[in-house]
Amino acid sequence: MRRFGLISDTHGRFDPQLTRLFQGCEQLLHAGDVGGGEVLWALEAIAPVRAVRGNTDEARFDGFNLPDILCLELQAGQRSVKALLLHILGAPGHPSVEAAAAVSRQRPRILLFGHTHAPYAAMEGGTLLINAGSAGPRRNSLPRCAALLELAEEGEESGAISATVRHLDLDRGGAPLCEPEHFTLR
């Protein structure tokens, strides 16, 4: 099983709990509105970081170049799964023009996004959509959270990859925000 830390909308705040919660992650994926290079350097001390620019970010932070969209291959055992990392998706089922074009071009099996500050995980049209929520300052009644994504091969013959998403409540010491959600990527 491969483990990835998912984070978004830190807005300049690094929560020290993330060091413990993301321990053992292969990579940390930040879906934008980082708020400064110090957040990325603190995350980089845990595991390698890949990040995109949010609508409140500069294109460069203290040695980090933040593209608007990033296409990644995430390992799941011997196989990999294509993922797309961006900040603004639009409404689930109604992506923005830019997001729809990127999805059409790249055809990811996992789409990681931020911006709404609301934790989310669901399959839509064969693609797993995940929003880690906001790990930054509290906004409205939404929880402060981050997420873990675990990927594993389901077997040689099936070609499927199992994905488990765990949203972690940062206001409760990283306790599960809800039950882990399980998905099968074919």
Side-chain angles (χ1 to χ4, degrees), residues 75-118:
Q75 287 301 126
Q78 297 298 314
R79 294 190 203 100
S80 65
V81 59
K82 187 182 281 191
L84 200 61
L85 180 63
L86 52 83
H87 183 61
I88 299 175
L89 173 62
H94 303 289
S96 70
V97 172
E98 295 84 8
V103 168
S104 177
R105 226 178 13 259
Q106 300 296 334
R107 301 199 180 280
R109 291 168 74 192
I110 300 174
L111 180 57
L112 307 166
F113 66 102
H115 188 61
T116 67
H117 291 223

Side-chain angles (χ1 to χ4, degrees), residues 7-14 29-40 43 50-59 61 66-68 85-88 113-118 131 133-137 139:
I7 189 168
S8 185
D9 297 280
T10 47
H11 294 281
R13 178 181 182 176
F14 174 78
L29 308 174
H30 196 305
D33 279 358
V34 176
E38 64 281 354
V39 172
L40 295 174
L43 291 170
R50 304 297 301 271
V52 293
R53 184 174 71 83
N55 59 302
T56 66
D57 290 328
E58 299 294 324
F61 280 135
L66 302 180
D68 291 328
L85 180 63
L86 52 83
H87 183 61
I88 299 175
F113 66 102
H115 188 61
T116 67
H117 291 223
N131 186 330
S134 171
R139 177 189 249 184

